[in-house]
Every structure is written in structure tokens, then in C-alpha cells.
Amino acid sequence: MAKAAPTRTPVPTSGIDRFFKITERGSSVEREIRGGVVTFFTMAYIVVLNPLILGFVKDANGQFLGGGAAPNLAAIAAGTALVAGLMTIFMGVFANFPLALATGLGLNAFVAFSIATKMTWADAMGLVVLEGIIILVLVLTGFRTAVFHAVPAQLKIAISVGIGLFIAMIGLVDAGFIRRTGVGPVPVELGVGGTLSGWPVLVFAIGLLLVIGLWVAKVRGAILLSIIITTVLAIIVEAIAKVGPTVIGQNPDGSNKTNPLGWNLNVPALPDKVIATPDLSTVGQFNLFGSFGKAGFVAAALLVFTLMLADFFDTMGTMTAIGAEAGLNDTEGTPPNTQKILIVDSVAAAAGGAAGVSSNTSYIESASGVGEGARTGLASVVTGALFLLSMVFAPLVEIIPNEAAVPALVLVGFLMMQQVKGIDWDNLEIAIPAFLTIILMQFTYSITVGIGAGFIAFVFIKLVRGKSSAIHPLMWLVSGLFVLYFAIDPLRRILGAG
């Protein structure tokens, strides 16, 4: 009998290949660059959106972020791009993982509306820095990684599936395909009034069909091509139809005057200029312990805890989902270099506060780059470099509308949904927690809430079935913390902290 040919180990073709293990992970430099570019395009909106969330809120002293008497959106945008760029490059070089970071949505709104209004902006950002430092300590002591390993593998799959559906919903909402009703028993609806109306939604629909068509036809660079082509289409549509933005001004009562059929964020148009000098005046605007004097120790401690718990588990879910989509996770659902990934994420949280642009965290939109072929940290280096370039090339970033970028998120949501077959739906001890994890991410628009509900349900069902000894001690601890997280508002009231 002939002997089987020995399996040959792929040989790196260059120093970059060897450092990032590109060939070893079945990728190529071209795919990594393409994936990094796609991830940037699907995340670039944060450079525009973060200033809109942070920039118009006054702190307890009536000051805007940066200490001025008027909003300074340019400075917030530059700071957002700076930290996102540096931390994403750090992720690529240190952890060698295709994961990008930027200011966390939801976290920034919490900082703006629930923290900064009770103290100064510097105090609020000091709390963010403290939160990042605490999480970093938990990582370095091995606690955060130990919690991750304590989570059952099938519950990790549920987290990935839930996040896949979540980012698909983000894409549909950001494109205006799904909208909040604001009235009645139905929270969301199709388009406006149950119908699809407006040029931007049509552009999104064409972009979605385009990316699906290119993907199923196995065209190389399908996602990136679809973003570029759809952006060109959007520019042409805007030049002819003069659609304009969704928000067109303010009413006398201070509320936004809206154009429901407008572009959701960026209005696509050829820029008047290509280069703009970045304003970094928010960098360093933080006061580490000022919040404890302004809001009181208990209130400040609860705010730090809320920030920490959201950051702690969002990244765990995100890196699991990205690793699964890239085929990098081991049999227990654990990505490579988990400890290093968590270290970078923790440093990024503190760095965001130190730069005055709120906590930075890992972005699930990185899955779009993975869908394009990214498997290593080189993709993150490319994404980070583009974020740094966007500080001066902001006019170019701003021509890509959400409607052209988010079709990629819908496609990637489908790709991540395919993992659902790895869950044993006949085993109620895992099926019910998995179900709650998946659906509550969508219904609450929060990754953390979905994970928390799944953890609590898992422990509860094991307890009811008399299998408490099978519950990992850390699952007991974390589930208890999630109970505290869900009860945080009543607890504040009981303690007189807000």
C-alpha cells in the first residue's frame, strides 16, 4: 500500500507574511488589505456619528465637550479617528487578530446623557479612564479570560449568532429600511408608514442586491466593490434629486427638524476639499477622580460598574463572533491570542477617555472585513492606518453614505447566522439560554443584555434541574453581576444615587 503524502506546512513568502501568519491562516496580503479597507468603510461612520452624539450635550457647568461655549464637532471627529487608528493598529500588531476598535456606540450615549450631565466633561472622561484601567487589571490577573473560558461553547455560538442578526438589523435600521414607529404597539416598521419611500432606501436596496449578487457569483472583492459602486450611484442620485440629509435644522422648541426621506448620515457628494487640518483639542481633557467629588462616591462607583460590565462582555461576544466567522476559534470557541485581544480592548477603553471621545471598544463591523477574506492582524493595521488618514482626509470619508456601506452588514449577518446549526436545540439547558441570547440582542438593541439574559437563564435552568454542581463558579459570579446590572436603576434609587 502506498504511503500517504506528508502534509506540507505552508511556507511564508515574506517577513510580513511570517509576522502575521498570513499563509499559515490561509490568507494573502491582498486579501488582508482588501479586508482592512472594507472594515474601515463599514466603520467610518463613527468619525461622523460620534461628534453628533457627544458634541451637542452640555455638562453640569453648561460647557460643551472640549470646554467651549459652542460645539466643536471637528475636534471630536479628529480625536475619534486618532484613537480608533492607534488602537486598531495596536490590535493588529500585538494580538494579530482582524478586529478593529473605535468609540463604542451606546457607551458614548451613556457617557453623554447619563454621566456628563451630572459633572464636567473632564470628570466624565475620567470615569471612562478608570473603567478601562479596572478592566485591564482584570485581564492581567487572568479573571476576564477565565470568565470567557467558563462560558459553555454552545452559548458562545449563540452569542455569535445573536450578534450576526444584530449587525444585520443595524444595517437595515441605518439604511432606513426598518424604522422606529415611536407610537402604538409596534416598535418598528418597514420604511416610512409601512412603505419603502425615498431615493436613499432605493440606493440601499440596489447595494444589497449588488453585494448579494457579487457574493454568490464569487467575485473577488465583492463587498468592497459593492460599497464603491453604490457610493458612486449615491453621488449621482444626490446630484440629480437633491435629497439632502435626514436632519435639516432645529425647530423653535429645540427639537430636530427632519426630512424622513433624506440620507441617514453622510450626504453623498464630491467634496469641496480633500484635506483638512485635524483639531486635537479634546485629547488629554480628563480628570481621573473629579467625578467622585461632583456626583458622590456611590453614584460614581455605580456609573463605573455600568460602563465596565457593558465593555467587559461586549468584546467577549464580538471577538468570539469574529473568530468564528474567520474560522480561527478552537474547539471550545476561543479565538487565538485571547489574552492579548482583551488587553488591547482594555487599553482602548482608557485611551478613549484620555482623548476625550468616550470608551473605545471592539467593533462587530470587523466581520465585514472577515467576510472579504481578512484572517490576520494585517487587516487591522490597514484599517487603523485609514482611520489615521481620515483625520486629514475627512472630506473623502464623508462622501460615503450609510446606505452604501451597510448592505455589507446585512450580508455578514447572514454568514454569521449559519453558525446556528451548532446549537443543540433539543437540549433545553442550552437551547432556552441560546434563544434568549439571540432574540434579546435584537429586541433591546444591546449585545450586553442578550449575553446577560442567556447567562442568567443558563444558571437558573441548571439550578431547577438539580445540576448546580455542573455550573462553573465563574458562571455563578457573572450571572449574579448581571442580575445586579439589570437592577442597577432600582439600586441607585434605593441608595439615593440618582
Side-chain angles (χ1 to χ4, degrees), residues 293-363:
K294 294 284 173 48
F297 181 84
V298 173
L302 287 173
L303 290 171
V304 170
F305 174 76
T306 305
L307 279 171
M308 183 181 70
L309 206 58
D311 247 354
F312 193 99
F313 289 100
D314 263 13
T315 297
M316 284 191 170
T318 299
M319 72 177 187
T320 302
I322 297 299
E325 180 59 25
L328 298 176
N329 291 356
D330 62 20
T331 54
E332 295 300 316
T334 303
N337 301 325
T338 295
Q339 180 83 346
K340 291 183 176 180
I341 294 170
L342 295 176
I343 287 174
V344 176
D345 183 79
S346 305
V347 172
V357 293
S358 185
S359 178
N360 272 230
T361 189
S362 303
Y363 260 59

Side-chain angles (χ1 to χ4, degrees), residues 449-460:
V449 168
I451 294 174
F455 280 24
I456 292 171
F458 176 81
V459 170
F460 176 75

Side-chain angles (χ1 to χ4, degrees), residues 183-269:
V183 294
V186 182
V188 294
E189 63 181 357
L190 177 70
V192 179
T195 61
L196 294 176
S197 305
W199 287 106
V201 171
L202 176 61
V203 168
F204 163 77
I206 292 173
L208 181 59
L209 292 175
L210 178 62
V211 73
I212 291 173
L214 292 172
W215 184 266
V216 299
K218 299 184 178 179
V219 175
R220 295 177 68 182
I223 296 176
L224 180 56
L225 274 175
S226 70
I227 292 174
I228 294 172
I229 294 171
T230 310
T231 297
V232 172
L233 173 63
I235 291 172
I236 294 172
V237 167
E238 175 60 21
I240 296 173
K242 306 295 183 186
V243 177
T246 300
V247 179
I248 57 177
Q250 284 195 321
N251 295 309
D253 63 358
S255 62
N256 287 331
K257 187 183 298 182
T258 61
N259 167 26
L261 304 185
W263 302 99
N264 188 44
L265 189 58
N266 291 340
V267 177

